[in-house]
Amino acid sequence: MKPELLACWRRLSIRSRMAGTAALAVALAVAAMAAVGYVAADRQAHRELDLGLVREANRIKRQVQSGTWSAAGPCAWLSAPACVQLVGSDGEVSAEGATERGALDTRDARAVAGGTKTAFFSTARLQDHPVRVYTAPVAQGRAVQVWVRSDGVERGVARVRTVLIEAGAAGVLLACLLGYLVARTSLAPLARLTAVVERIAATRDTRHRIAVTGHDEAARLTGSFNTMLTALHDSLTAQRRLVADASHELRTPLTSLRTNAELLARIAPDDVRRRERATTALSRQITELVDLVEDLAELARGDEGADEPADDLRLDAVVTQCVERARAHRPATVFTVETEPTLILGVRARLARATANLLDNAAKFSPDGSVVEVRLCDGELTVRDHGPGIDPDDLPHIFDRFYRAPAARARPGSGLGLSIVAQAAALHGAKATAEPAEGGGTVMRLSFRTAGGREGPSSTS
């Protein structure tokens, strides 16, 4: 297809292209069928004509051989019954079939009479009429020529051709109409989908949904689009909630920072002790604010980790490294760790952040000198502390963003650490849970689907 025609075709609507494709397919099928029908009708008509001439020639042959044939005179009208003449090998014509405007050529007939040529069919023109001629031997040294007008057959074949062309044109028009109706019906769900997309693009409202009817491809597309809209709406809602929550949570530390900064500005330069206290408080608040911003940035990444390259990594090595860092940052807490080689498919940075948050959360709620037990076995990471535990009313909410139990509000933190754990778990197809531990404290669990088998436990303390 030429580039201009291809560009024009692409500018058409899908409905027009479907109707055009259906019409073209029907046109090709009708043209092929018409051609086959025309050839078959033409062959059949001429075959019937030739069979009539052969039967007439055989009748004449029997009469000649029995001596009962007699000339019937000239054939003036060239119509049925067939015109007949006998031709000898010497050129003698026993019954003249000539007309006023000329005689039938007998040169080949003499060859048939002499036995040098077999019977054959031919065409000629007499009195401006087409004729079909059959020449065959009838006796030694004699041949018969039988002919009849063929213009009636030609007119019949022409009528068949006309009917086939008209029927084909009607079939193509009907195919265009039906193709348009089918395309319109089939593309109705797509039209509704397009209308909803345009409405959402204009209003930015992702609450619109399309009614799903049937079980065909259009219904599946509509269902998938509704699912996408639901995910988009949830994502936008979570984003707005995150921004609102972040604005609320940032207001308190920023207010404290401004207050301490103003206080520091009012302290006399020679009041070293008060300046040191204000500076220390200001530094602590800046650190807390930085931690809060980092946590917010981690949460704001959402599912972007799905695009990060995931590798086969040893979870036990990640856990061991995180425990070593926790021991350095929390020297008053004793960490015991028991791991077994565990291979999973994941993003190292996300898993390390989630593990560090679990360890920091356990140490924060554990008394000085108490033990935090870390265990990795059968693809499940557990962190158990010996702190006061979690109130049963708070358990359903501890992985929510900015949620802080009443007993924990006096402690430092933003309430985002466990939300980051839950987000990393969802990213890796894992499950994060919390439950009270026997004898007091809390057990946090991360259950993974492992990518390899275990090779035996190893433990350190």
Side-chain angles (χ1 to χ4, degrees):
M1 185 179 290
K2 293 183 178 180
E4 297 82 4
L5 295 177
L6 184 59
C8 182
W9 175 260
R10 287 176 175 173
R11 283 195 295 269
L12 295 174
S13 64
I14 296 178
R15 185 178 302 170
S16 300
R17 277 185 278 176
M18 288 183 65
T21 302
L24 179 61
V26 171
L28 293 176
V30 168
M33 293 176 62
V36 172
Y38 174 75
V39 171
D42 181 70
R43 287 184 178 180
Q44 183 64 25
H46 285 89
R47 183 172 178 272
E48 293 293 336
L49 184 64
D50 292 345
L51 287 176
L53 294 175
V54 170
R55 284 194 295 267
E56 183 65 15
N58 290 335
R59 185 182 68 81
I60 299 301
K61 180 178 180 180
R62 289 192 298 269
Q63 291 180 351
V64 170
Q65 290 177 351
S66 63
T68 59
W69 184 82
S70 59
C75 179
W77 300 105
L78 302 174
S79 59
C83 302
V84 181
Q85 68 181 14
L86 294 181
V87 180
S89 59
D90 55 359
E92 178 186 0
V93 179
S94 300
E96 182 59 59
T99 65
E100 297 176 358
R101 298 189 183 184
L104 199 64
D105 188 5
T106 60
R107 286 176 297 179
D108 290 334
R110 292 196 298 270
V112 173
T116 59
K117 190 173 183 179
T118 59
F120 66 93
F121 290 96
S122 61
T123 57
R125 196 166 188 85
L126 297 176
Q127 284 190 340
D128 293 330
H129 296 293
V131 295
R132 182 70 168 170
V133 184
Y134 178 60
T135 304
V138 294
Q140 185 68 32
R142 301 179 77 185
V144 65
Q145 284 187 302
V146 186
W147 71 94
V148 71
R149 283 173 58 172
S150 60
D151 50 354
V153 173
E154 299 297 335
R155 285 193 298 272
V157 173
R159 284 195 298 271
V160 171
R161 181 175 63 247
T162 302
V163 170
L164 289 175
I165 292 175
E166 292 175 351
V172 172
L173 292 177
L174 181 61
C176 289
L177 178 60
L178 293 178
Y180 179 80
L181 293 177
V182 171
R184 182 174 181 178
T185 303
S186 301
L187 295 177
L190 185 60
R192 293 195 299 270
L193 187 64
T194 303
V196 172
V197 171
E198 292 174 347
R199 189 182 306 120
I200 292 173
T203 63
R204 305 280 182 172
D205 188 355
T206 56
R207 292 174 298 178
H208 293 286
R209 298 294 181 270
I210 307 174
V212 180
T213 58
H215 304 281
D216 56 4
E217 290 80 359
R220 284 161 42 202
L221 175 61
T222 303
S224 298
F225 185 76
N226 285 338
T227 302
M228 183 189 70
L229 282 179
T230 301
L232 179 60
H233 180 73
D234 293 343
S235 177
L236 291 175
T237 302
Q239 188 179 63
R240 295 188 188 103
R241 187 169 61 248
L242 176 63
V243 171
D245 292 343
S247 301
H248 176 75
E249 293 295 327
L250 285 171
R251 188 177 296 114
T252 299
L254 287 175
T255 301
S256 299
L257 278 175
R258 184 174 63 181
T259 301
N260 284 322
E262 293 174 351
L263 177 63
L264 183 62
R266 290 197 299 267
I267 297 176
D270 56 348
D271 194 346
V272 178
R273 180 174 299 177
R274 290 186 63 194
R275 292 184 67 86
E276 287 180 351
R277 286 201 302 268
T279 303
T280 301
L282 196 62
S283 176
R284 183 180 68 253
Q285 289 168 349
I286 290 175
T287 301
E288 292 176 357
L289 184 60
V290 169
D291 292 340
L292 175 59
V293 171
E294 289 179 352
D295 288 342
L296 286 172
E298 183 73 17
L299 283 175
R301 293 171 65 188
D303 294 331
E304 289 180 2
D307 299 328
E308 298 180 26
D311 300 313
D312 286 337
L313 55 88
R314 289 283 296 273
L315 183 59
D316 56 298
V318 174
V319 171
T320 301
Q321 292 173 0
C322 290
V323 170
E324 293 301 323
R325 287 196 293 268
R327 285 171 176 164
H329 293 151
R330 300 279 186 174
T333 304
V334 178
F335 291 90
T336 64
V337 57
E338 179 182 347
T339 65
E340 62 181 23
T342 304
L343 185 67
I344 68 169
L345 185 67
V347 181
R348 177 179 292 274
R350 290 293 187 97
L351 292 174
R353 181 66 180 272
T355 304
N357 285 358
L358 288 177
L359 297 176
D360 183 70
N361 185 78
K364 183 166 57 177
F365 290 98
S366 297
D368 291 345
S370 64
V371 178
V372 173
E373 302 168 9
V374 183
R375 188 169 184 267
L376 177 63
C377 180
D378 294 331
E380 182 178 77
L381 172 65
T382 61
V383 178
R384 185 196 190 284
D385 63 59
H386 292 269
I390 301 176
D391 190 282
D393 294 336
D394 297 325
L395 275 176
H397 309 288
I398 62 171
F399 291 104
D400 296 343
R401 294 174 180 175
F402 299 107
Y403 181 79
R404 302 183 71 188
R409 290 171 186 170
R411 298 176 182 270
S414 62
L416 294 177
L418 294 183
S419 297
I420 294 174
V421 173
Q423 181 176 277
L427 177 66
H428 291 83
K431 184 178 181 181
T433 58
E435 61 188 49
E438 293 185 6
T442 304
V443 177
M444 296 285 186
R445 300 182 187 274
L446 276 181
S447 301
F448 294 88
R449 293 192 299 266
T450 59
R454 60 181 185 174
E455 301 171 7
S458 61
S459 62
T460 60
S461 60

